[in-house]
Amino acid sequence: METELSRQLGIEHAIFGFTPFPEVAAAITRAGGFGVLGAVRYTAPDDLARDLDRLHRHADGKPYGLDVVMPAKKVEGVTEADVEAMIPAEHRGFVREILARYGVPELAEGEASGWRITGWMEEVARGQLDVAFDYPVKLLANALGSPPADVIERAHDHGVLVAALAGSARHARRHAAAGIDVVVAQGYEAGGHTGEIGSMVLVPEVVEAVAPLPVLAAGGIGSGEQAAAGIALGAQGVWLGSLWLTTEEADLHSLALTAKLLAAGSGDTVRSRALTGKPARQLRTAWTDAWEDGAGPGTLPMPLQGLLVAEAVSRIQKYEVGELLGTPVGQIVGRMTSERSVRAVVDDLTRGFEQAVTRMNRIAGRSAT
């Protein structure tokens, strides 16, 4: 699965794997792909440095990248406490009511509420970059589009390519004008924050819009045949996230959640604002249904919603409350039916890719070369 971009980065397969787990990112890289560690959950620079150390040690000298969530426009002087103060009491009461309805226990006194979505904040994201550029990262991806101009310049000064996710050709053109190097065309089927255009339509539109910049196809890709389709549409590789959640190296800290993912079908996800305030595809649960109920107060905009529900999500995950337990995941979840090693997943992707290419060559009347 070689393309011009994979050769530029020095990887065997044009498989880019986004994951919040350093062990998974390292395993993707060792298997010949390109592991990308998601940084949004790291609020302390030391924690990110610890996991980048781990990733670097286990990558066998092969390249890897980092994904941040950074707004293009800088907001001065806004703290997390300032944002917390904007959350209405009605919404806090609604969260308490849902948790009480399903009997979700409180956290122990003094116990931290776990992950909070603060990676979007200017000082947090820039702190992550200060750590990242101490490591030989080869790609910096931004989930909120083009990062600020000075960040792009700083990355380029370090010899780091910059990628930005796009859900439309219009977004992609803005990224190209901002000076990014790679566009990730993320279709409607994808897990997490995603737009409204399906991958089959989106990928060729973005390829045409930003040519000659390389494009990665994302969303609804979980097999080698689907990867071949993305490359046939003009992409120079595929960007996969959901597929790694049920790998043996993933650390979901929840057997119940892993079981739900393995049992879910492709129709068991929903685009909901319940987690962050922006439409994000995730498992459909009683939690997402409650936020869609017209009797409730509705979701808040990002980042208010994420801060509002942070403790609730931590409690749901800790106590594995089945009806409420969920996670961001794409429609490809229907293919995730067994726990496998990252190596086995990559081998399956490359084998399927080869079979698809051979089949198309046969249809075209050519021998496979």
Side-chain angles (χ1 to χ4, degrees):
M1 290 183 66
E2 285 191 358
T3 65
E4 184 178 346
L5 179 61
S6 69
R7 288 190 289 271
Q8 180 182 357
L9 288 168
I11 58 177
E12 184 179 357
H13 308 302
I15 298 171
F16 294 75
F18 165 80
T19 173
F21 307 117
E23 292 83 358
V24 175
I28 294 167
T29 286
R30 289 197 307 272
F34 189 92
V36 182
L37 179 64
V40 70
R41 67 193 181 100
Y42 296 99
T43 57
D46 289 347
D47 291 340
L48 177 58
R50 177 202 63 217
D51 280 0
L52 280 174
D53 279 339
R54 190 180 310 170
L55 168 54
H56 185 71
R57 285 197 311 271
H58 294 99
D60 290 352
K62 297 180 179 180
Y64 55 87
L66 188 74
D67 179 279
V68 298
V69 179
M70 192 173 193
K73 295 181 179 179
K74 184 174 182 178
V75 180
E76 298 280 1
V78 178
T79 67
E80 184 177 339
D82 295 331
V83 178
E84 287 269 16
M86 300 176 190
I87 298 174
E90 178 187 14
H91 286 76
R92 294 191 185 278
F94 185 66
V95 170
R96 288 194 297 269
E97 191 275 326
I98 298 173
L99 297 177
R101 187 191 316 164
Y102 289 92
V104 183
E106 298 274 358
L107 296 175
E109 185 175 353
E111 184 177 356
S113 63
W115 175 59
R116 294 169 67 79
I117 303 174
T118 56
W120 57 271
M121 297 185 69
E122 184 74 18
E123 65 271 19
V124 175
R126 288 187 179 272
Q128 292 169 351
L129 296 178
D130 290 339
V131 172
F133 290 132
D134 286 336
Y135 293 82
V137 297
K138 298 300 182 183
L139 179 76
L140 175 68
N142 189 36
L144 287 183
S146 303
D150 68 295
V151 171
I152 297 175
E153 182 179 0
R154 185 180 178 190
H156 288 166
D157 287 344
H158 282 80
V160 177
L161 297 180
V162 180
L165 273 65
S168 71
R170 176 171 55 86
H171 293 156
R173 291 189 194 95
R174 286 208 301 262
H175 300 340
I180 60 93
D181 306 290
V182 181
V183 175
V184 180
Q186 181 167 279
Y188 173 82
E189 307 96 323
H193 295 135
T194 186
E196 299 181 349
I197 303 174
S199 298
M200 186 65 72
V201 173
L202 177 66
V203 173
E205 285 186 351
V206 171
V207 168
E208 181 178 355
V210 301
L213 287 183
V215 173
L216 299 177
I221 300 173
S223 71
E225 291 83 357
Q226 290 165 324
I231 292 176
L233 292 172
Q236 288 199 29
V238 291
W239 178 277
L240 311 178
S242 299
L243 195 61
W244 317 108
L245 289 173
T246 53
T247 56
E248 294 169 356
E249 294 86 347
D251 189 11
L252 288 177
H253 298 291
S254 172
L255 294 177
L257 180 54
T258 298
K260 287 190 77 169
L261 287 168
L262 294 174
S266 57
D268 292 328
T269 69
V270 63
R271 284 173 78 242
S272 170
R273 298 176 184 268
L275 186 60
T276 69
K278 290 186 67 174
R281 185 171 297 285
Q282 54 202 280
L283 282 179
R284 182 172 183 173
T285 66
W287 175 261
T288 60
D289 287 346
W291 286 100
E292 297 300 321
D293 190 334
T299 56
L300 296 169
M302 188 180 189
L304 299 180
Q305 183 73 14
L307 292 173
L308 167 67
V309 305
E311 180 179 332
V313 171
S314 293
R315 289 165 58 184
I316 292 165
Q317 292 175 344
K318 176 179 178 178
Y319 299 109
E320 297 190 327
V321 183
E323 299 96 330
L324 303 177
L325 189 63
T327 186
V329 69
Q331 291 180 332
I332 201 64
V333 70
R335 293 188 62 93
M336 296 157 52
T337 57
S338 64
E339 290 187 76
R340 299 180 293 164
S341 68
V342 167
R343 169 69 70 173
V345 171
V346 172
D347 286 348
D348 186 57
L349 287 168
T350 56
R351 184 167 48 249
F353 177 84
E354 291 171 358
Q355 292 171 349
V357 171
T358 299
R359 184 164 56 249
M360 293 306 295
N361 280 328
R362 189 181 304 120
I363 292 170
R366 303 187 183 98
S367 61
T369 58

